[in-house]
Amino acid sequence: MDADTSVKFSPSKLDTYNHCPRRYRYRYVDKIKREGTSVEAFVGTCVHSSFESLYEGLLHGKLLSLEAVLAAFEEAWKEGWSDKVAIRDKQYSAEDWMALGRQCVELYYKAQAPFGKERTVAVEKRIGFELDSEGQSYRIEGFIDRLASGEDGAFEIHDYKTSKTLPSQADVDADRQLAVYDIAVRDHWKVPDAQEVRLVWHYVRHGRSLTSRRSTEQRAALRSELAVLIARIKHDHEFAPKKTALCDWCEYRDLCPLFAHAEKLRHLPPEEQRKDSGAALVAQLADLEAKKKELRDGLKALELLEEALKDSLVKYARAQGLGSVSGAEGEATITEKDSLKFPTKTHASEALEKLEKELKASTIWKDVSHLDSHRLMEGYKRKEWGEPVLALIEGLLDTYVKRTKETVVRFHKKKDAEDD
């Protein structure tokens, strides 16, 4: 398989590899172009376009009205909409999605007006920096939605998100995209490490903004992470597919080995789907799995019945003072033996820790390390150790181990019944 020959990487490109190396390969190594987009991505593009018009106007000293910004959104929608925009959830129409986009624009505009909190420096600015990985120089770059100068003179990197989910502060504090742009801004404008650069996400679907910052140490760590990730990509010749929730939006499902067969069947009528040899094999497997489950359920019911019968046999034997109960088919023997239940990590973990601590202080720990209860009891019964150690074990058993009586019922078939 071909290796990646890229010398430029963007945050989205690197994220594509992290999410699914196979999608990365199709898009950036094989360079397979696909027309079309998801409606979620299309809404985001139109919202970004309207904000670009808003801030381009501000850069030229003109504040567009809300109606003008909404008109810019609708124009972008009209120009870009086609049957190649895929709507997965059929309960929502194109009109519903357009209304959502308008709502995003309106929420943002009203929250930010009168737009005097900071001064816009650039809109849709391409920016990047050089990075070395394994002795090779690469370029990391991307587009900043908007770069601004805050009232205190600090740079602010603004990004607009139309996603349905509102992340937590911890999520944005760990986000890599704007942190990459932080490094790029400092590199381009020679911003000292000590000077603050704010990262600002506008989750316009929720009318909320979240802010984060990166320390000198965090930026240095990010550089190292990026270098390691690029090295992984360069050494990857397999680009194995990775199944995630994002697969539903992937444009390469018809090529992906995890989804290609399902995509093929999806376009066939039901009768043709059933004729497919692969589908027929899966149908047989499904049938076998169903039968296995039926047998397991039946076995479980029999085991419960067996347990109830054995309980009845034990009660009968005890009442009659018997150790064996006979019948025409054979006999059932009832024996009782001592059983020791040691503490476990799941049950009584604190007692287990104390027991192990005391054993570690003894001379037998090397023989029963990791508390091999079977080995411990075997050595105790055989008296492999001296009296002091055996006394120690007896004390530990009294303290930490629950002593119970285990009753065992076994059925023995009569020999003449076996011959029959």
Side-chain angles (χ1 to χ4, degrees), residues 355-416:
L355 173 56
E356 287 191 336
K357 184 177 180 181
E358 293 199 43
L359 280 172
K360 285 177 181 177
S362 73
T363 58
I364 62 169
W365 178 249
K366 65 180 184 299
D367 295 320
V368 296
S369 58
H370 307 298
L371 190 52
D372 184 337
S373 57
H374 176 75
R375 175 71 187 91
L376 177 67
M377 293 310 301
E378 184 181 69
Y380 173 69
K381 290 175 182 177
R382 292 179 179 177
K383 301 187 182 300
E384 293 182 12
W385 305 292
E387 285 301 324
V389 173
L390 295 175
L392 168 67
I393 295 175
E394 287 178 4
L396 295 176
L397 293 177
D398 290 338
T399 304
Y400 299 108
V401 179
K402 184 178 180 181
R403 298 176 185 269
T404 62
K405 288 285 187 183
E406 183 180 357
T407 303
V408 180
V409 178
R410 289 190 176 89
F411 175 70
H412 305 276
K413 201 171 186 179
K414 280 188 175 179
K415 188 169 180 56
D416 55 354

Side-chain angles (χ1 to χ4, degrees), residues 207-341:
R208 293 283 304 277
S209 297
L210 296 172
T211 302
S212 183
R213 297 164 181 81
R214 297 294 182 272
S215 67
T216 302
E217 294 75 20
Q218 287 173 317
R219 291 191 298 275
L222 178 57
R223 279 182 172 271
S224 297
E225 289 171 16
L226 294 174
V228 170
L229 179 54
I230 289 173
R232 275 177 51 204
I233 294 172
K234 291 297 177 179
H235 290 292
D236 195 342
H237 295 276
E238 181 182 359
F239 296 100
K242 185 191 296 185
K243 197 169 187 177
T244 70
L246 296 176
C247 292
D248 289 343
W249 286 269
C250 182
E251 67 273 35
Y252 300 109
R253 287 172 63 92
D254 62 317
L255 298 178
C256 177
L258 300 181
F259 296 98
H261 190 250
E263 289 297 305
K264 172 190 170 184
L265 294 181
R266 189 168 66 87
H267 293 92
L268 295 176
E271 62 274 10
E272 291 299 319
Q273 290 182 18
R274 286 189 288 271
K275 291 179 182 178
D276 181 87
S277 57
L281 290 170
V282 171
Q284 292 178 46
L285 181 61
D287 184 54
L288 285 175
E289 288 294 328
K291 290 178 179 177
K292 283 169 63 179
K293 183 180 184 304
E294 185 179 347
L295 290 171
R296 284 194 297 268
D297 291 343
L299 179 61
K300 186 175 181 180
L302 288 173
E303 287 172 342
L304 290 172
L305 181 58
E306 180 186 33
E307 187 176 338
L309 284 170
K310 285 183 175 180
D311 285 343
S312 297
L313 272 168
V314 170
K315 290 176 182 177
Y316 177 85
R318 285 175 178 170
Q320 301 296 323
L322 301 173
S324 175
V325 180
S326 294
E329 295 81 6
E331 66 176 6
T333 59
I334 297 91
T335 56
E336 290 189 356
K337 64 178 183 178
D338 292 332
S339 176
L340 300 175
K341 293 189 180 297

Side-chain angles (χ1 to χ4, degrees), residues 27 37 74 111 129 149 175 242 257 291 324 345 396 407:
R27 182 179 289 180
T37 185
E74 291 171 1
F129 59 92
S149 178
D175 183 90
K242 185 191 296 185
K291 290 178 179 177
S324 175
K345 287 184 179 179
L396 295 176
T407 303

